[in-house]
Amino acid sequence: MVEVEAVIEDHEKLQMEAVTRVYRERHSILTLMRQLNRLVNAIQRHRGVSLAHLAGDGLFMEDVNQVQAQVNKRLLVLRNTCDQFDHLVSPREQENIQHGWNTVCHNWEGDALLENFEYHSFLIEQLLQMSVRLANRLEEPLMSASGLSATVEPANPVHSELILPLVCRNVPELIEQLARIRGLATHAAVVGDCDAEHDKKLQYWLQCAERQNRELIHQIDGIRHEIKNSWKTLTELKNYELKLAFFLNTISKDIIHGDCAKADARQLFVLGSEIIEAYVDAVDGGISLLQTGLEKELEGWLVQL
């Protein structure tokens, strides 16, 4: 009898170790995803102010210095925020990220517009892909990822299969579209001209942003009521529809089809940044919701013991 009890205790201990191991990993993943969300936002902002400075507006230089210092700090924080960083992000990925940022910063004031833009964009794409890869590790429920089967569904489960695509793909892709538009439009406003190549890019990005936002709003409308109630920063994006439309229409009217010299670069940048920040907050809100779901999964398993 004692031997049977010992076997049961050993089995439960192994289960506990398996669940807590996966739980800690997922907690680290969500922490990294939040840090990546803010890091990408900072690099996107750095791209925008760098383009404005390269266009000849020296007043943006202070912004460049501030954002560059922020990115440097965020890269250090990213590396030291969670215990499992080396396990989750390979040494090669770490080197590529640092190399990408070093490339962005190296003699950047001598960059051509397209060169500077592409350096930033390549690094941003790397970081977005990393976030997607991390998010893929959250798709499986905690119990099955731990090699166990849950006998009882947690009360009020957080539906990660609905949240993850928004957090790691749909919203970040729209943010990057808006950040590209902000950067190139601000540059054109400073220069007072938008050449044919940049004109085509802006028109295409505007069309993409409008389509992506329509799709996002449609997704928000169709999302479960309980998720809407818990994810206020997502539902609040609907309050930015008019402001977003004004931003995109202003760029179309003043930059693409109008006189760039009359456009106010600083106003464009500030308005675009305010809108982008709301979408970045929405991603943060989704990550918080996933964190809540992780805690519920763990608690649901614990009360079964």
Side-chain angles (χ1 to χ4, degrees):
M1 187 66 177
V2 174
E3 289 181 0
V4 172
E5 290 177 353
V7 169
I8 292 173
E9 287 179 2
D10 287 343
H11 178 65
E12 288 183 347
K13 183 179 179 182
L14 289 173
Q15 284 187 334
M16 184 73 74
E17 289 174 350
V19 172
T20 53
R21 182 172 60 252
V22 176
Y23 169 83
R24 287 196 304 271
E25 179 183 282
R26 292 187 169 204
H27 192 279
S28 295
I29 287 172
L30 290 167
T31 299
L32 283 175
M33 286 174 63
R34 191 186 301 278
Q35 292 293 337
L36 285 169
N37 181 41
R38 290 295 172 176
L39 174 61
V40 167
N41 181 37
I43 295 172
Q44 288 166 333
R45 190 176 183 88
H46 186 271
R47 178 177 58 193
V49 293
S50 297
L51 292 178
H53 179 73
L54 289 173
D57 190 336
L59 295 177
F60 276 91
M61 190 61 206
E62 184 178 349
D63 299 84
V64 174
N65 291 333
Q66 288 177 351
V67 182
Q68 194 159 310
Q70 182 190 138
V71 172
N72 286 330
K73 287 189 289 186
R74 286 192 178 279
L75 283 169
L76 285 173
V77 168
L78 183 73
R79 176 66 183 80
N80 295 287
T81 292
C82 74
D83 296 333
Q84 302 191 45
F85 182 82
D86 290 324
H87 167 63
L88 296 169
V89 183
S90 70
R92 179 180 289 273
E93 282 184 302
Q94 295 178 40
E95 290 172 8
N96 287 342
I97 292 168
Q98 190 60 57
H99 176 71
W101 178 239
N102 291 344
T103 301
V104 165
C105 297
H106 181 67
N107 293 332
W108 69 272
E109 290 186 79
D111 288 348
L113 166 64
L114 183 60
E115 189 178 35
N116 185 274
F117 186 91
E118 291 301 331
Y119 287 154
H120 282 91
S121 300
F122 182 72
L123 176 57
I124 289 165
E125 184 59 30
Q126 278 185 299
L127 294 169
L128 290 176
Q129 287 178 4
M130 181 188 296
S131 188
V132 170
R133 285 196 298 275
L134 289 168
N136 288 340
R137 302 175 75 146
L138 302 175
E139 290 179 346
E140 197 176 3
L142 176 63
M143 292 305 104
S144 56
S146 306
L148 308 175
S149 57
T151 56
V152 180
E153 283 291 318
N156 303 315
V158 173
H159 299 275
S160 59
E161 74 279 4
L162 302 175
I163 300 168
L164 278 172
L166 288 165
V167 164
C168 67
R169 289 189 185 276
N170 302 25
V171 181
E173 286 174 2
L174 176 54
I175 291 171
E176 172 60 358
Q177 209 71 265
L178 295 175
R180 288 173 181 170
I181 292 167
R182 175 187 62 184
L184 203 54
T186 303
H187 180 277
V190 173
V191 173
D193 180 57
C194 186
D195 63 32
E197 182 184 357
H198 298 154
D199 185 290
K200 286 181 181 178
K201 286 184 177 180
L202 276 175
Q203 288 196 57
Y204 175 70
W205 293 339
L206 285 173
Q207 291 171 3
C208 289
E210 289 168 350
R211 174 182 54 78
Q212 288 172 318
N213 193 61
R214 282 196 304 270
E215 292 172 354
L216 178 61
I217 295 302
H218 180 71
Q219 284 180 290
I220 294 172
D221 288 338
I223 210 165
R224 291 171 180 264
H225 187 66
E226 62 268 25
I227 295 178
K228 285 183 183 180
N229 288 340
S230 303
W231 195 354
K232 295 297 185 184
T233 51
L234 182 73
T235 55
E236 285 170 2
L237 290 180
K238 296 187 72 174
N239 298 332
Y240 280 84
E241 281 192 272
L242 288 177
K243 193 166 284 191
L244 176 60
F246 176 75
F247 174 65
L248 299 179
N249 288 336
T250 298
I251 291 169
S252 178
K253 177 171 61 73
D254 294 350
I255 303 296
I256 297 175
H257 301 296
D259 183 0
C260 292
K262 294 181 180 179
D264 188 311
R266 177 62 70 172
Q267 282 186 2
L268 272 179
F269 187 83
V270 170
L271 177 59
S273 298
E274 179 189 346
I275 295 166
I276 288 169
E277 195 65 31
Y279 286 83
V280 172
D281 286 343
V283 173
D284 263 1
I287 293 170
S288 295
L289 201 52
L290 291 168
Q291 184 73 57
T292 299
L294 178 62
E295 301 298 336
K296 285 183 177 180
E297 283 188 281
L298 180 63
E299 183 63 21
W301 177 71
L302 287 171
V303 298
Q304 294 176 40
L305 296 178

